[in-house]
């Protein structure tokens, strides 16, 4: 793994446990964010489904009365 900064040569990073831990923490944070986004999309879809169901029920009541 290398790290490059503007105007410097790439530097080889050590594969220490600290680097590994930081990498794993970043992956876990990304996975948590993706899970939160998926949950938000699921809630939004459920809300849309409830709205459509309510409109259909309202239309059926109007037709039946």
């Amino acid at each position: 793994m290398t790290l490059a900064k503007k105007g410097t040569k790439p530097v080889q990073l050590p594969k220490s446990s600290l680097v590994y831990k930081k990498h794993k923490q970043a992956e876990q944070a990304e996975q948590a964010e993706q899970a939160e986004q998926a949950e938000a999309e699921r809630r939004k879809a459920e809300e849309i489904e409830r709205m459509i169901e309510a409109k259909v029920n309202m239309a059926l009541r109007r037709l039946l009365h």
Side-chain angles (χ1 to χ4, degrees), residues 22-58:
K22 292 295 181 185
H23 178 70
K24 280 296 181 188
Q25 286 175 349
E27 282 182 348
Q28 290 172 346
E30 185 176 335
Q31 289 173 351
E33 184 178 328
Q34 289 173 351
E36 288 175 15
Q37 289 175 348
E39 180 65 21
E41 289 176 13
R42 184 189 62 76
R43 285 192 305 267
K44 194 183 302 182
E46 287 175 348
E47 180 64 28
I48 291 170
E49 185 178 357
R50 282 192 293 273
M51 290 170 51
I52 291 171
E53 188 175 325
K55 288 181 180 185
V56 167
N57 286 338
M58 205 176 347

